[in-house]
Amino acid sequence: MIPHQWAPPCNNQCTHKYSTLMQIPWRVFCKKGCDADGETWDECLSECEEICYKNPVLKDQQWSAYIDRSPGAASCSEECFHACVAGCGYKFDVPSQKVDQIHPSRLPPPPKEKLTTPAVKRVLPRESSQTIDDIPGTSA
């Protein structure tokens, strides 16, 4: 058995598409698309959204999304989604043109407004009415 035959063809296509060292995380998510449990193209896409976007782990507890293992940053989630969809495309023999047109159904987060720091008003120390003679030289 030759090494390229050890993995399923879908996984080999992911390895080929995401072959550089900097693309290893996306290769993993592509292979997750290959190995998704969905029986159809649409089910596979839905699994990619579950994998790549943070959801609350505990029902009705929005804060629990922070412990979800999905990529955190919006750009990383989008890259993850596209890699996973590529894996689904390989799994279901979907043309790459159609795969490239797929976008997540989730809306991107609104752009954060740049916070401006308020001007700091400099307060000069007031002159004290106490003199050195008024302050005791010993502690209590």
Side-chain angles (χ1 to χ4, degrees):
M1 188 175 240
I2 302 171
H4 72 275
Q5 295 173 329
W6 292 347
C10 182
N11 287 344
N12 284 335
Q13 289 173 307
C14 288
T15 300
H16 179 71
K17 181 173 180 162
Y18 298 100
S19 59
T20 66
L21 184 62
M22 297 301 291
Q23 293 177 321
I24 288 175
W26 312 130
R27 182 186 320 162
V28 171
F29 288 113
C30 180
K31 290 181 179 183
K32 285 180 185 266
C34 285
D35 299 334
D37 293 331
E39 299 289 325
T40 65
W41 166 250
D42 290 328
E43 288 176 4
C44 192
L45 295 180
S46 150
E47 286 190 37
C48 287
E49 287 205 13
E50 281 184 38
I51 290 170
C52 296
Y53 289 91
K54 289 194 173 289
N55 294 311
V57 176
L58 304 172
K59 188 177 178 180
D60 299 327
Q61 301 291 325
Q62 187 61 37
W63 65 267
S64 67
Y66 289 103
I67 57 178
D68 187 346
R69 294 180 62 198
S70 304
S75 62
C76 290
S77 289
E78 193 170 339
E79 270 304 312
C80 167
F81 179 77
H82 289 296
C84 184
V85 168
C88 290
Y90 296 140
K91 179 178 181 176
F92 292 105
D93 294 321
V94 175
S96 62
Q97 294 82 8
K98 183 175 180 180
V99 169
D100 293 341
Q101 294 173 355
I102 300 298
H103 297 287
S105 63
R106 294 183 180 212
L107 295 173
K112 293 182 179 178
E113 293 181 23
K114 189 175 180 180
L115 296 177
T116 57
T117 55
V120 178
K121 184 177 180 182
R122 185 172 224 168
V123 179
L124 298 173
R126 290 190 284 171
E127 291 184 27
S128 174
S129 60
Q130 292 183 330
T131 61
I132 300 274
D133 297 332
D134 294 340
I135 302 172
T138 58
S139 61

